[in-house]
Amino acid sequence: MHLDHDPSAAPADTIGFDDFLKADIRVGTIVEAEPYPEARKPSLKLRIDLGPGVGVKKSCAQIAALYSPETLVGRQVAAVVNFPPRQIGKALSEVLTLGFADEEGRVVLFQPDRPVPNGSRLF
């Protein structure tokens, strides 16, 4: 799957609301973060508390260009929780942590502007 990070790109094909609902996007709090130097792109390994319905899940995120592990613990982020797990090098990524590319292509994390309960679903 190719994702276009160009802000001037045209929108993707139109989908129905039911298609949107198939992506289960939840908010969670990062409870652990550590470097992942074995990854091809600057990455961190995260453990995210996604609330009682989902639990604590692992994510490998290409965010090391802008974030250090010590600045992430306690921060809320959004993640897709219903993709199948992916092997990223030697680590298993159970959820996809969401972000946007900045002008230089570095990932900026997506987070709510106010605290919300872990496990809250995006709608």
Side-chain angles (χ1 to χ4, degrees):
M1 171 173 54
H2 172 71
L3 298 177
D4 196 334
H5 301 295
D6 179 1
S8 64
D13 293 338
T14 300
I15 62 171
F17 190 69
D18 288 341
D19 291 322
F20 168 73
L21 291 177
K22 290 177 185 176
D24 190 350
I25 302 170
R26 307 278 183 115
V27 69
T29 300
I30 297 172
V31 294
E32 290 179 30
E34 62 181 280
Y36 188 32
E38 300 88 0
R40 282 184 281 158
K41 294 185 178 180
S43 300
L44 299 174
K45 291 192 288 188
L46 309 175
R47 290 181 52 82
I48 305 169
D49 180 355
L50 291 151
V54 178
V56 176
K57 298 292 182 180
K58 296 180 277 186
S59 182
C60 298
Q62 296 176 357
I63 59 173
L66 293 178
Y67 302 96
S68 61
E70 58 274 4
T71 64
L72 292 173
V73 174
R75 180 185 185 125
Q76 285 196 305
V77 293
V80 179
V81 300
N82 65 332
F83 284 152
R86 284 186 67 188
Q87 194 72 39
I88 310 292
K90 295 181 180 180
L92 186 67
S93 190
E94 299 174 299
V95 299
L96 175 66
T97 305
L98 300 177
F100 296 96
D102 69 7
E103 301 83 14
E104 297 176 31
R106 301 170 301 186
V107 177
V108 176
L109 289 169
F110 180 70
Q111 73 178 69
D113 66 352
R114 296 179 189 198
V116 295
N118 287 339
S120 295
R121 187 167 177 179
L122 180 72
F123 62 89

Coordinates of all heavy atoms in Angstrom, one line a residue, residues 7 9 23 100 104:
P7 N 0.9 17.1 0.5 CA -0.3 17.9 0.9 C -1.1 18.4 -0.3 O -2.3 18.8 -0.1 CB 0.2 19.0 1.8 CG 1.7 19.1 1.6 CD 2.1 17.7 1.0
A9 N -1.8 16.6 -2.9 CA -2.4 15.5 -3.6 C -3.9 15.6 -3.5 O -4.5 16.1 -2.6 CB -1.9 14.2 -3.0
A23 N -12.5 1.0 10.0 CA -11.3 1.3 10.6 C -11.6 1.7 12.1 O -12.2 2.7 12.4 CB -10.6 2.4 9.9
F100 N 1.0 12.6 10.9 CA 1.1 13.3 9.6 C 2.5 13.6 9.3 O 3.3 13.9 10.2 CB 0.3 14.6 9.7 CG -1.2 14.4 9.9 CD1 -1.7 14.4 11.2 CD2 -2.1 14.1 8.9 CE1 -3.1 14.2 11.4 CE2 -3.4 13.9 9.1 CZ -3.9 14.0 10.3
E104 N 9.3 18.1 5.9 CA 10.5 17.3 5.6 C 10.2 15.8 5.6 O 11.1 15.0 5.5 CB 11.6 17.6 6.7 CG 12.1 19.1 6.6 CD 13.1 19.4 7.7 OE1 13.8 18.5 8.1 OE2 13.1 20.5 8.1

